Amino acid sequence: VLVGVPLGSIAAFKRGTIVDDIIIVFSTCGIAIPSFVICTILMYVLSLKLGLLPTHGIAEWRSYILPVVTLAAGGSAQLMRLTRTTMLEAIRQDFMRTAKAKGCTPACMVWKHALKNALLPVLTVMGTSFGSILGGAVICETVFAIPGLGNYILTAIRSKDIPVVMSSTVFLSAFFCLVMVVVDILYAVIDPRIREKVVK
């Protein structure tokens, strides 16, 4: 979210420039390349060749960089493209011309007016992509040898420990449902029209 939404907004506002082209190429690569390929490339370049980051475990703060980048790459790329599309639609609306006529700065027009109206589809994708991040954590924890819930589930599957697999699946499903409830609440926070319908 911290990478995809701002870059998507910048790409929409700089539409047709070299900045927009670079962001589109980056987002396309992030969507097209699977997470296990990204983590392998990052480990080879940053850990084995350059020696900047550790390859496994979570002994220090640097150990979190590779797993987090691996899990966030696909989601941020998807949010980039969606934010760019919804922002382009919002920029063409009448209220943007009104804001410009009233003397709003370009930054105010983008972050205060356009982004707020373009966030609802982005919020939906944020909630649903959370499930893919939970699934990707299993692969990520296995590759980076992190003792987490995903690695625990994978070990239980291999050893045919059915109660652990079932309880972990129910826990992750309940957690995903909770995230979707939070997303629905955020709809009402962002869009006053939805808030008025809820109050009525």
Side-chain angles (χ1 to χ4, degrees):
V1 174
L2 295 177
V3 173
V5 173
L7 287 182
S9 303
I10 292 169
F13 196 69
K14 301 280 186 181
R15 181 170 56 99
T17 63
I18 187 67
V19 176
D20 184 24
D21 294 337
I22 292 172
I23 292 175
I24 287 175
V25 169
F26 178 73
S27 63
T28 304
C29 292
I31 293 171
I33 302 174
S35 60
F36 64 88
V37 175
I38 293 175
C39 74
T40 305
I41 294 171
L42 290 176
M43 284 177 68
Y44 180 75
V45 175
L46 297 177
S47 299
L48 298 179
K49 287 296 182 181
L50 301 178
L52 298 175
L53 299 171
T55 57
H56 61 280
I58 47 172
E60 54 176 328
W61 66 270
R62 294 188 307 148
S63 304
Y64 287 96
I65 296 176
L66 284 179
V68 167
V69 170
T70 300
L71 283 176
S76 63
Q78 189 178 9
L79 285 179
M80 252 182 259
R81 291 186 71 86
L82 182 63
T83 304
R84 180 182 181 276
T85 303
T86 55
M87 283 286 287
L88 285 174
E89 291 177 7
I91 287 171
R92 298 188 187 104
Q93 299 299 319
D94 292 337
F95 64 84
M96 291 296 290
R97 285 193 290 271
T98 304
K100 188 176 182 179
K102 289 170 67 176
C104 284
T105 61
C108 176
M109 289 170 60
V110 170
W111 302 114
K112 188 176 180 181
H113 297 286
L115 184 62
K116 197 169 183 181
N117 286 277
L119 268 185
L120 288 183
V122 176
L123 275 177
T124 305
V125 173
M126 281 167 49
T128 53
S129 65
F130 187 78
S132 64
I133 290 177
L134 288 176
V138 177
I139 299 171
C140 194
E141 288 176 5
T142 304
V143 172
F144 291 107
I146 298 173
L149 185 60
N151 207 353
Y152 181 60
I153 294 172
L154 198 61
T155 304
I157 292 171
R158 287 173 179 162
S159 60
K160 297 181 180 179
D161 193 346
I162 296 174
V164 170
V165 175
M166 290 178 64
S167 59
S168 302
T169 305
V170 169
F171 172 75
L172 291 177
S173 302
F175 195 56
F176 178 70
C177 291
L178 181 63
V179 169
M180 294 309 294
V181 169
V182 172
V183 168
D184 287 341
I185 293 171
L186 287 175
Y187 283 165
V189 172
I190 290 174
D191 195 339
R193 294 170 298 182
I194 297 176
R195 191 162 56 244
E196 288 175 6
K197 289 180 182 177
V198 171
V199 171
K200 289 178 181 178

